[in-house]
PDB file of all heavy atoms in Angstrom:
ATOM      1  N   GLY A   2       0.833  -1.246   0.011  1.00 91.00           N
ATOM      2  CA  GLY A   2       0.002   0.007   0.005  1.00 91.00           C
ATOM      3  C   GLY A   2       0.830   1.275   0.008  1.00 91.00           C
ATOM      4  O   GLY A   2       1.967   1.295  -0.577  1.00 91.00           O
ATOM      5  N   PRO A   3       0.404   2.303   0.651  1.00 92.00           N
ATOM      6  CA  PRO A   3       1.183   3.567   0.759  1.00 92.00           C
ATOM      7  C   PRO A   3       2.207   3.531   1.876  1.00 92.00           C
ATOM      8  O   PRO A   3       2.821   4.583   2.119  1.00 92.00           O
ATOM      9  CB  PRO A   3       0.078   4.609   1.012  1.00 92.00           C
ATOM     10  CG  PRO A   3      -0.904   3.858   1.773  1.00 92.00           C
ATOM     11  CD  PRO A   3      -0.928   2.456   1.275  1.00 92.00           C
ATOM     12  N   LEU A   4       2.387   2.398   2.529  1.00 91.00           N
ATOM     13  CA  LEU A   4       3.391   2.350   3.653  1.00 91.00           C
ATOM     14  C   LEU A   4       4.749   1.870   3.191  1.00 91.00           C
ATOM     15  O   LEU A   4       5.743   2.047   3.917  1.00 91.00           O
ATOM     16  CB  LEU A   4       2.876   1.399   4.752  1.00 91.00           C
ATOM     17  CG  LEU A   4       1.861   1.931   5.719  1.00 91.00           C
ATOM     18  CD1 LEU A   4       2.385   3.136   6.462  1.00 91.00           C
ATOM     19  CD2 LEU A   4       0.510   2.236   5.096  1.00 91.00           C
ATOM     20  N   GLY A   5       4.847   1.221   2.023  1.00 88.00           N
ATOM     21  CA  GLY A   5       6.123   0.833   1.502  1.00 88.00           C
ATOM     22  C   GLY A   5       6.685  -0.482   2.000  1.00 88.00           C
ATOM     23  O   GLY A   5       7.685  -0.950   1.477  1.00 88.00           O
ATOM     24  N   ASN A   6       5.946  -1.098   2.910  1.00 91.00           N
ATOM     25  CA  ASN A   6       6.373  -2.390   3.483  1.00 91.00           C
ATOM     26  C   ASN A   6       5.187  -3.189   3.939  1.00 91.00           C
ATOM     27  O   ASN A   6       4.331  -2.631   4.599  1.00 91.00           O
ATOM     28  CB  ASN A   6       7.383  -2.180   4.647  1.00 91.00           C
ATOM     29  CG  ASN A   6       7.948  -3.450   5.210  1.00 91.00           C
ATOM     30  OD1 ASN A   6       7.300  -4.177   5.862  1.00 91.00           O
ATOM     31  ND2 ASN A   6       9.239  -3.636   4.916  1.00 91.00           N
ATOM     32  N   PRO A   7       5.080  -4.504   3.624  1.00 94.00           N
ATOM     33  CA  PRO A   7       3.912  -5.285   4.053  1.00 94.00           C
ATOM     34  C   PRO A   7       3.736  -5.326   5.548  1.00 94.00           C
ATOM     35  O   PRO A   7       2.596  -5.331   6.029  1.00 94.00           O
ATOM     36  CB  PRO A   7       4.215  -6.666   3.468  1.00 94.00           C
ATOM     37  CG  PRO A   7       5.174  -6.440   2.343  1.00 94.00           C
ATOM     38  CD  PRO A   7       6.036  -5.269   2.777  1.00 94.00           C
ATOM     39  N   ILE A   8       4.833  -5.314   6.307  1.00 94.00           N
ATOM     40  CA  ILE A   8       4.678  -5.363   7.766  1.00 94.00           C
ATOM     41  C   ILE A   8       4.034  -4.067   8.280  1.00 94.00           C
ATOM     42  O   ILE A   8       3.134  -4.087   9.109  1.00 94.00           O
ATOM     43  CB  ILE A   8       6.101  -5.577   8.425  1.00 94.00           C
ATOM     44  CG1 ILE A   8       6.616  -6.967   8.033  1.00 94.00           C
ATOM     45  CG2 ILE A   8       5.970  -5.446   9.914  1.00 94.00           C
ATOM     46  CD1 ILE A   8       7.992  -7.222   8.563  1.00 94.00           C
ATOM     47  N   LEU A   9       4.543  -2.942   7.762  1.00 94.00           N
ATOM     48  CA  LEU A   9       3.976  -1.697   8.228  1.00 94.00           C
ATOM     49  C   LEU A   9       2.578  -1.552   7.802  1.00 94.00           C
ATOM     50  O   LEU A   9       1.688  -1.035   8.589  1.00 94.00           O
ATOM     51  CB  LEU A   9       4.805  -0.520   7.639  1.00 94.00           C
ATOM     52  CG  LEU A   9       6.311  -0.515   8.026  1.00 94.00           C
ATOM     53  CD1 LEU A   9       6.966   0.736   7.446  1.00 94.00           C
ATOM     54  CD2 LEU A   9       6.464  -0.508   9.543  1.00 94.00           C
ATOM     55  N   LEU A  10       2.204  -1.962   6.614  1.00 95.00           N
ATOM     56  CA  LEU A  10       0.826  -1.945   6.171  1.00 95.00           C
ATOM     57  C   LEU A  10      -0.035  -2.833   7.063  1.00 95.00           C
ATOM     58  O   LEU A  10      -1.153  -2.453   7.449  1.00 95.00           O
ATOM     59  CB  LEU A  10       0.725  -2.422   4.744  1.00 95.00           C
ATOM     60  CG  LEU A  10      -0.716  -2.649   4.233  1.00 95.00           C
ATOM     61  CD1 LEU A  10      -1.513  -1.327   4.114  1.00 95.00           C
ATOM     62  CD2 LEU A  10      -0.756  -3.366   2.885  1.00 95.00           C
ATOM     63  N   GLY A  11       0.452  -4.033   7.384  1.00 95.00           N
ATOM     64  CA  GLY A  11      -0.355  -4.912   8.244  1.00 95.00           C
ATOM     65  C   GLY A  11      -0.626  -4.315   9.594  1.00 95.00           C
ATOM     66  O   GLY A  11      -1.706  -4.508  10.135  1.00 95.00           O
ATOM     67  N   ILE A  12       0.339  -3.581  10.127  1.00 96.00           N
ATOM     68  CA  ILE A  12       0.127  -2.968  11.458  1.00 96.00           C
ATOM     69  C   ILE A  12      -0.938  -1.868  11.397  1.00 96.00           C
ATOM     70  O   ILE A  12      -1.810  -1.780  12.252  1.00 96.00           O
ATOM     71  CB  ILE A  12       1.482  -2.431  12.019  1.00 96.00           C
ATOM     72  CG1 ILE A  12       2.423  -3.595  12.289  1.00 96.00           C
ATOM     73  CG2 ILE A  12       1.283  -1.596  13.264  1.00 96.00           C
ATOM     74  CD1 ILE A  12       3.831  -3.164  12.656  1.00 96.00           C
ATOM     75  N   VAL A  13      -0.845  -0.977  10.363  1.00 96.00           N
ATOM     76  CA  VAL A  13      -1.821   0.050  10.243  1.00 96.00           C
ATOM     77  C   VAL A  13      -3.228  -0.527   9.943  1.00 96.00           C
ATOM     78  O   VAL A  13      -4.174  -0.061  10.537  1.00 96.00           O
ATOM     79  CB  VAL A  13      -1.441   1.014   9.095  1.00 96.00           C
ATOM     80  CG1 VAL A  13      -2.529   1.983   8.760  1.00 96.00           C
ATOM     81  CG2 VAL A  13      -0.140   1.737   9.494  1.00 96.00           C
ATOM     82  N   ALA A  14      -3.290  -1.582   9.143  1.00 96.00           N
ATOM     83  CA  ALA A  14      -4.590  -2.197   8.918  1.00 96.00           C
ATOM     84  C   ALA A  14      -5.109  -2.847  10.158  1.00 96.00           C
ATOM     85  O   ALA A  14      -6.337  -2.809  10.448  1.00 96.00           O
ATOM     86  CB  ALA A  14      -4.445  -3.269   7.806  1.00 96.00           C
ATOM     87  N   ALA A  15      -4.235  -3.447  10.988  1.00 96.00           N
ATOM     88  CA  ALA A  15      -4.648  -4.020  12.228  1.00 96.00           C
ATOM     89  C   ALA A  15      -5.206  -2.946  13.202  1.00 96.00           C
ATOM     90  O   ALA A  15      -6.200  -3.187  13.889  1.00 96.00           O
ATOM     91  CB  ALA A  15      -3.495  -4.753  12.897  1.00 96.00           C
ATOM     92  N   CYS A  16      -4.592  -1.757  13.212  1.00 97.00           N
ATOM     93  CA  CYS A  16      -5.104  -0.672  13.986  1.00 97.00           C
ATOM     94  C   CYS A  16      -6.484  -0.217  13.531  1.00 97.00           C
ATOM     95  O   CYS A  16      -7.365   0.054  14.355  1.00 97.00           O
ATOM     96  CB  CYS A  16      -4.108   0.511  13.962  1.00 97.00           C
ATOM     97  SG  CYS A  16      -2.592   0.246  14.827  1.00 97.00           S
ATOM     98  N   GLY A  17      -6.646  -0.116  12.190  1.00 96.00           N
ATOM     99  CA  GLY A  17      -7.939   0.208  11.683  1.00 96.00           C
ATOM    100  C   GLY A  17      -9.025  -0.795  12.028  1.00 96.00           C
ATOM    101  O   GLY A  17     -10.181  -0.471  12.349  1.00 96.00           O
ATOM    102  N   LEU A  18      -8.618  -2.084  11.986  1.00 96.00           N
ATOM    103  CA  LEU A  18      -9.542  -3.173  12.296  1.00 96.00           C
ATOM    104  C   LEU A  18      -9.980  -3.072  13.758  1.00 96.00           C
ATOM    105  O   LEU A  18     -11.170  -3.174  14.076  1.00 96.00           O
ATOM    106  CB  LEU A  18      -8.911  -4.485  11.987  1.00 96.00           C
ATOM    107  CG  LEU A  18      -9.660  -5.776  12.473  1.00 96.00           C
ATOM    108  CD1 LEU A  18     -11.008  -5.892  11.804  1.00 96.00           C
ATOM    109  CD2 LEU A  18      -8.768  -6.994  12.300  1.00 96.00           C
ATOM    110  N   ALA A  19      -8.985  -2.932  14.647  1.00 96.00           N
ATOM    111  CA  ALA A  19      -9.304  -2.835  16.075  1.00 96.00           C
ATOM    112  C   ALA A  19     -10.231  -1.671  16.413  1.00 96.00           C
ATOM    113  O   ALA A  19     -11.182  -1.764  17.232  1.00 96.00           O
ATOM    114  CB  ALA A  19      -8.011  -2.735  16.892  1.00 96.00           C
ATOM    115  N   ALA A  20      -9.885  -0.476  15.815  1.00 96.00           N
ATOM    116  CA  ALA A  20     -10.724   0.726  16.061  1.00 96.00           C
ATOM    117  C   ALA A  20     -12.154   0.486  15.550  1.00 96.00           C
ATOM    118  O   ALA A  20     -13.146   0.890  16.186  1.00 96.00           O
ATOM    119  CB  ALA A  20     -10.132   1.881  15.443  1.00 96.00           C
ATOM    120  N   ALA A  21     -12.295  -0.071  14.400  1.00 95.00           N
ATOM    121  CA  ALA A  21     -13.612  -0.339  13.790  1.00 95.00           C
ATOM    122  C   ALA A  21     -14.416  -1.317  14.647  1.00 95.00           C
ATOM    123  O   ALA A  21     -15.642  -1.180  14.836  1.00 95.00           O
ATOM    124  CB  ALA A  21     -13.493  -0.809  12.326  1.00 95.00           C
ATOM    125  N   ILE A  22     -13.730  -2.363  15.128  1.00 95.00           N
ATOM    126  CA  ILE A  22     -14.395  -3.395  15.963  1.00 95.00           C
ATOM    127  C   ILE A  22     -14.890  -2.718  17.299  1.00 95.00           C
ATOM    128  O   ILE A  22     -16.002  -2.969  17.759  1.00 95.00           O
ATOM    129  CB  ILE A  22     -13.463  -4.565  16.272  1.00 95.00           C
ATOM    130  CG1 ILE A  22     -13.236  -5.330  15.007  1.00 95.00           C
ATOM    131  CG2 ILE A  22     -14.080  -5.460  17.378  1.00 95.00           C
ATOM    132  CD1 ILE A  22     -14.464  -6.051  14.471  1.00 95.00           C
ATOM    133  N   ALA A  23     -14.035  -1.832  17.900  1.00 94.00           N
ATOM    134  CA  ALA A  23     -14.440  -1.150  19.117  1.00 94.00           C
ATOM    135  C   ALA A  23     -15.643  -0.312  18.899  1.00 94.00           C
ATOM    136  O   ALA A  23     -16.565  -0.259  19.823  1.00 94.00           O
ATOM    137  CB  ALA A  23     -13.256  -0.266  19.604  1.00 94.00           C
ATOM    138  N   ARG A  24     -15.823   0.305  17.790  1.00 93.00           N
ATOM    139  CA  ARG A  24     -16.989   1.086  17.498  1.00 93.00           C
ATOM    140  C   ARG A  24     -18.177   0.209  17.139  1.00 93.00           C
ATOM    141  O   ARG A  24     -19.327   0.444  17.471  1.00 93.00           O
ATOM    142  CB  ARG A  24     -16.741   2.125  16.349  1.00 93.00           C
ATOM    143  CG  ARG A  24     -15.913   3.275  16.856  1.00 93.00           C
ATOM    144  CD  ARG A  24     -15.902   4.379  15.756  1.00 93.00           C
ATOM    145  NE  ARG A  24     -15.355   5.598  16.364  1.00 93.00           N
ATOM    146  CZ  ARG A  24     -15.203   6.724  15.690  1.00 93.00           C
ATOM    147  NH1 ARG A  24     -15.506   6.726  14.367  1.00 93.00           N
ATOM    148  NH2 ARG A  24     -14.723   7.827  16.245  1.00 93.00           N
ATOM    149  N   LEU A  25     -17.836  -0.866  16.462  1.00 92.00           N
ATOM    150  CA  LEU A  25     -18.933  -1.830  16.019  1.00 92.00           C
ATOM    151  C   LEU A  25     -19.598  -2.417  17.276  1.00 92.00           C
ATOM    152  O   LEU A  25     -20.777  -2.797  17.226  1.00 92.00           O
ATOM    153  CB  LEU A  25     -18.371  -2.882  15.123  1.00 92.00           C
ATOM    154  CG  LEU A  25     -19.338  -3.863  14.491  1.00 92.00           C
ATOM    155  CD1 LEU A  25     -20.364  -3.111  13.607  1.00 92.00           C
ATOM    156  CD2 LEU A  25     -18.593  -4.918  13.649  1.00 92.00           C
ATOM    157  N   ALA A  26     -18.845  -2.628  18.347  1.00 91.00           N
ATOM    158  CA  ALA A  26     -19.374  -3.192  19.567  1.00 91.00           C
ATOM    159  C   ALA A  26     -20.301  -2.297  20.345  1.00 91.00           C
ATOM    160  O   ALA A  26     -21.045  -2.758  21.224  1.00 91.00           O
ATOM    161  CB  ALA A  26     -18.215  -3.628  20.473  1.00 91.00           C
ATOM    162  N   ARG A  27     -20.384  -1.029  19.967  1.00 88.00           N
ATOM    163  CA  ARG A  27     -21.301  -0.121  20.611  1.00 88.00           C
ATOM    164  C   ARG A  27     -22.769  -0.418  20.127  1.00 88.00           C
ATOM    165  O   ARG A  27     -22.986  -0.563  18.877  1.00 88.00           O
ATOM    166  CB  ARG A  27     -20.954   1.301  20.270  1.00 88.00           C
ATOM    167  CG  ARG A  27     -19.630   1.776  20.879  1.00 88.00           C
ATOM    168  CD  ARG A  27     -19.356   3.219  20.397  1.00 88.00           C
ATOM    169  NE  ARG A  27     -18.114   3.742  20.958  1.00 88.00           N
ATOM    170  CZ  ARG A  27     -17.592   4.927  20.620  1.00 88.00           C
ATOM    171  NH1 ARG A  27     -18.230   5.675  19.760  1.00 88.00           N
ATOM    172  NH2 ARG A  27     -16.458   5.258  21.166  1.00 88.00           N
ATOM    173  N   PRO A  28     -23.730  -0.452  21.001  1.00 85.00           N
ATOM    174  CA  PRO A  28     -25.127  -0.716  20.561  1.00 85.00           C
ATOM    175  C   PRO A  28     -25.643   0.325  19.595  1.00 85.00           C
ATOM    176  O   PRO A  28     -26.456  -0.031  18.737  1.00 85.00           O
ATOM    177  CB  PRO A  28     -25.869  -0.709  21.865  1.00 85.00           C
ATOM    178  CG  PRO A  28     -24.856  -0.999  22.961  1.00 85.00           C
ATOM    179  CD  PRO A  28     -23.621  -0.347  22.457  1.00 85.00           C
ATOM    180  N   ALA A  29     -25.206   1.558  19.707  1.00 83.00           N
ATOM    181  CA  ALA A  29     -25.772   2.624  18.867  1.00 83.00           C
ATOM    182  C   ALA A  29     -25.047   2.837  17.555  1.00 83.00           C
ATOM    183  O   ALA A  29     -25.335   3.748  16.805  1.00 83.00           O
ATOM    184  CB  ALA A  29     -25.805   3.948  19.669  1.00 83.00           C
ATOM    185  N   SER A  30     -24.008   2.047  17.274  1.00 84.00           N
ATOM    186  CA  SER A  30     -23.221   2.282  16.056  1.00 84.00           C
ATOM    187  C   SER A  30     -23.938   1.726  14.836  1.00 84.00           C
ATOM    188  O   SER A  30     -24.942   0.991  14.943  1.00 84.00           O
ATOM    189  CB  SER A  30     -21.864   1.553  16.205  1.00 84.00           C
ATOM    190  OG  SER A  30     -22.010   0.174  16.349  1.00 84.00           O
ATOM    191  N   ASP A  31     -23.421   2.064  13.680  1.00 86.00           N
ATOM    192  CA  ASP A  31     -24.008   1.667  12.393  1.00 86.00           C
ATOM    193  C   ASP A  31     -23.240   0.472  11.841  1.00 86.00           C
ATOM    194  O   ASP A  31     -22.151   0.573  11.290  1.00 86.00           O
ATOM    195  CB  ASP A  31     -23.898   2.821  11.398  1.00 86.00           C
ATOM    196  CG  ASP A  31     -24.516   2.528  10.054  1.00 86.00           C
ATOM    197  OD1 ASP A  31     -25.158   1.435   9.964  1.00 86.00           O
ATOM    198  OD2 ASP A  31     -24.400   3.267   9.132  1.00 86.00           O
ATOM    199  N   PRO A  32     -23.780  -0.724  11.971  1.00 87.00           N
ATOM    200  CA  PRO A  32     -23.075  -1.962  11.519  1.00 87.00           C
ATOM    201  C   PRO A  32     -22.918  -2.044  10.025  1.00 87.00           C
ATOM    202  O   PRO A  32     -21.943  -2.613   9.519  1.00 87.00           O
ATOM    203  CB  PRO A  32     -23.906  -3.099  12.104  1.00 87.00           C
ATOM    204  CG  PRO A  32     -25.319  -2.533  12.232  1.00 87.00           C
ATOM    205  CD  PRO A  32     -25.120  -1.068  12.611  1.00 87.00           C
ATOM    206  N   TRP A  33     -23.861  -1.390   9.270  1.00 87.00           N
ATOM    207  CA  TRP A  33     -23.787  -1.529   7.787  1.00 87.00           C
ATOM    208  C   TRP A  33     -22.600  -0.700   7.255  1.00 87.00           C
ATOM    209  O   TRP A  33     -22.162  -0.940   6.139  1.00 87.00           O
ATOM    210  CB  TRP A  33     -25.078  -1.068   7.182  1.00 87.00           C
ATOM    211  CG  TRP A  33     -26.228  -1.914   7.609  1.00 87.00           C
ATOM    212  CD1 TRP A  33     -27.191  -1.610   8.468  1.00 87.00           C
ATOM    213  CD2 TRP A  33     -26.462  -3.250   7.135  1.00 87.00           C
ATOM    214  NE1 TRP A  33     -28.088  -2.680   8.577  1.00 87.00           N
ATOM    215  CE2 TRP A  33     -27.669  -3.714   7.794  1.00 87.00           C
ATOM    216  CE3 TRP A  33     -25.845  -4.111   6.242  1.00 87.00           C
ATOM    217  CZ2 TRP A  33     -28.210  -4.964   7.575  1.00 87.00           C
ATOM    218  CZ3 TRP A  33     -26.352  -5.370   6.010  1.00 87.00           C
ATOM    219  CH2 TRP A  33     -27.567  -5.805   6.687  1.00 87.00           C
ATOM    220  N   ARG A  34     -22.126   0.283   8.019  1.00 90.00           N
ATOM    221  CA  ARG A  34     -20.984   1.087   7.630  1.00 90.00           C
ATOM    222  C   ARG A  34     -19.701   0.514   8.199  1.00 90.00           C
ATOM    223  O   ARG A  34     -18.714   0.457   7.491  1.00 90.00           O
ATOM    224  CB  ARG A  34     -21.174   2.507   8.035  1.00 90.00           C
ATOM    225  CG  ARG A  34     -19.986   3.454   7.733  1.00 90.00           C
ATOM    226  CD  ARG A  34     -20.341   4.871   8.091  1.00 90.00           C
ATOM    227  NE  ARG A  34     -20.585   4.978   9.515  1.00 90.00           N
ATOM    228  CZ  ARG A  34     -19.665   5.209  10.478  1.00 90.00           C
ATOM    229  NH1 ARG A  34     -18.423   5.292  10.120  1.00 90.00           N
ATOM    230  NH2 ARG A  34     -19.991   5.340  11.727  1.00 90.00           N
ATOM    231  N   LEU A  35     -19.734   0.082   9.451  1.00 91.00           N
ATOM    232  CA  LEU A  35     -18.481  -0.360  10.103  1.00 91.00           C
ATOM    233  C   LEU A  35     -18.088  -1.736   9.758  1.00 91.00           C
ATOM    234  O   LEU A  35     -16.869  -2.022   9.691  1.00 91.00           O
ATOM    235  CB  LEU A  35     -18.685  -0.214  11.626  1.00 91.00           C
ATOM    236  CG  LEU A  35     -18.783   1.175  12.223  1.00 91.00           C
ATOM    237  CD1 LEU A  35     -19.149   1.196  13.653  1.00 91.00           C
ATOM    238  CD2 LEU A  35     -17.458   1.892  12.024  1.00 91.00           C
ATOM    239  N   ALA A  36     -19.024  -2.640   9.511  1.00 91.00           N
ATOM    240  CA  ALA A  36     -18.665  -4.055   9.185  1.00 91.00           C
ATOM    241  C   ALA A  36     -17.856  -4.144   7.890  1.00 91.00           C
ATOM    242  O   ALA A  36     -16.809  -4.798   7.885  1.00 91.00           O
ATOM    243  CB  ALA A  36     -19.932  -4.888   9.078  1.00 91.00           C
ATOM    244  N   PRO A  37     -18.257  -3.478   6.793  1.00 92.00           N
ATOM    245  CA  PRO A  37     -17.352  -3.529   5.604  1.00 92.00           C
ATOM    246  C   PRO A  37     -16.015  -2.917   5.819  1.00 92.00           C
ATOM    247  O   PRO A  37     -14.994  -3.370   5.301  1.00 92.00           O
ATOM    248  CB  PRO A  37     -18.207  -2.741   4.528  1.00 92.00           C
ATOM    249  CG  PRO A  37     -19.593  -2.740   5.027  1.00 92.00           C
ATOM    250  CD  PRO A  37     -19.511  -2.751   6.514  1.00 92.00           C
ATOM    251  N   ILE A  38     -15.980  -1.808   6.591  1.00 94.00           N
ATOM    252  CA  ILE A  38     -14.685  -1.209   6.890  1.00 94.00           C
ATOM    253  C   ILE A  38     -13.733  -2.148   7.622  1.00 94.00           C
ATOM    254  O   ILE A  38     -12.566  -2.329   7.291  1.00 94.00           O
ATOM    255  CB  ILE A  38     -14.898   0.089   7.712  1.00 94.00           C
ATOM    256  CG1 ILE A  38     -15.510   1.204   6.865  1.00 94.00           C
ATOM    257  CG2 ILE A  38     -13.570   0.602   8.320  1.00 94.00           C
ATOM    258  CD1 ILE A  38     -15.867   2.437   7.613  1.00 94.00           C
ATOM    259  N   ALA A  39     -14.317  -2.833   8.627  1.00 94.00           N
ATOM    260  CA  ALA A  39     -13.540  -3.799   9.423  1.00 94.00           C
ATOM    261  C   ALA A  39     -13.075  -4.963   8.498  1.00 94.00           C
ATOM    262  O   ALA A  39     -11.907  -5.430   8.609  1.00 94.00           O
ATOM    263  CB  ALA A  39     -14.313  -4.317  10.602  1.00 94.00           C
ATOM    264  N   ALA A  40     -13.957  -5.422   7.613  1.00 93.00           N
ATOM    265  CA  ALA A  40     -13.639  -6.496   6.743  1.00 93.00           C
ATOM    266  C   ALA A  40     -12.489  -6.148   5.779  1.00 93.00           C
ATOM    267  O   ALA A  40     -11.595  -6.954   5.533  1.00 93.00           O
ATOM    268  CB  ALA A  40     -14.890  -6.950   5.919  1.00 93.00           C
ATOM    269  N   VAL A  41     -12.538  -4.935   5.231  1.00 94.00           N
ATOM    270  CA  VAL A  41     -11.464  -4.466   4.321  1.00 94.00           C
ATOM    271  C   VAL A  41     -10.108  -4.409   5.020  1.00 94.00           C
ATOM    272  O   VAL A  41      -9.131  -4.911   4.538  1.00 94.00           O
ATOM    273  CB  VAL A  41     -11.815  -3.124   3.737  1.00 94.00           C
ATOM    274  CG1 VAL A  41     -10.589  -2.496   3.056  1.00 94.00           C
ATOM    275  CG2 VAL A  41     -12.962  -3.239   2.757  1.00 94.00           C
ATOM    276  N   ASN A  42     -10.085  -3.858   6.256  1.00 95.00           N
ATOM    277  CA  ASN A  42      -8.842  -3.804   7.013  1.00 95.00           C
ATOM    278  C   ASN A  42      -8.365  -5.207   7.421  1.00 95.00           C
ATOM    279  O   ASN A  42      -7.158  -5.432   7.367  1.00 95.00           O
ATOM    280  CB  ASN A  42      -9.058  -2.934   8.269  1.00 95.00           C
ATOM    281  CG  ASN A  42      -9.045  -1.428   7.953  1.00 95.00           C
ATOM    282  OD1 ASN A  42      -8.017  -0.799   7.844  1.00 95.00           O
ATOM    283  ND2 ASN A  42     -10.218  -0.860   7.799  1.00 95.00           N
TER     284      ASN A  42
END
C-alpha cells in the first residue's frame, strides 16, 4: 500500500480493524458502515 512495506501496512490495517471493531461493539453504532470497513482492514 502507501506504507512501502507489508509489515507496516499490516500494522496500520490491524489498528484500523481494532478501532472499527471497538466502535462496532457499541449498541448505537452503524453496523452496515462499520462491518465492511472492518472486513477491508
Side-chain angles (χ1 to χ4, degrees):
L4 279 302
N6 185 286
I8 295 175
L9 302 182
L10 170 68
I12 293 172
V13 170
C16 289
L18 172 64
I22 292 295
R24 285 192 166 177
L25 186 60
R27 295 176 179 175
S30 62
D31 181 8
W33 297 106
R34 178 176 59 89
L35 290 171
I38 289 175
V41 167
N42 283 277

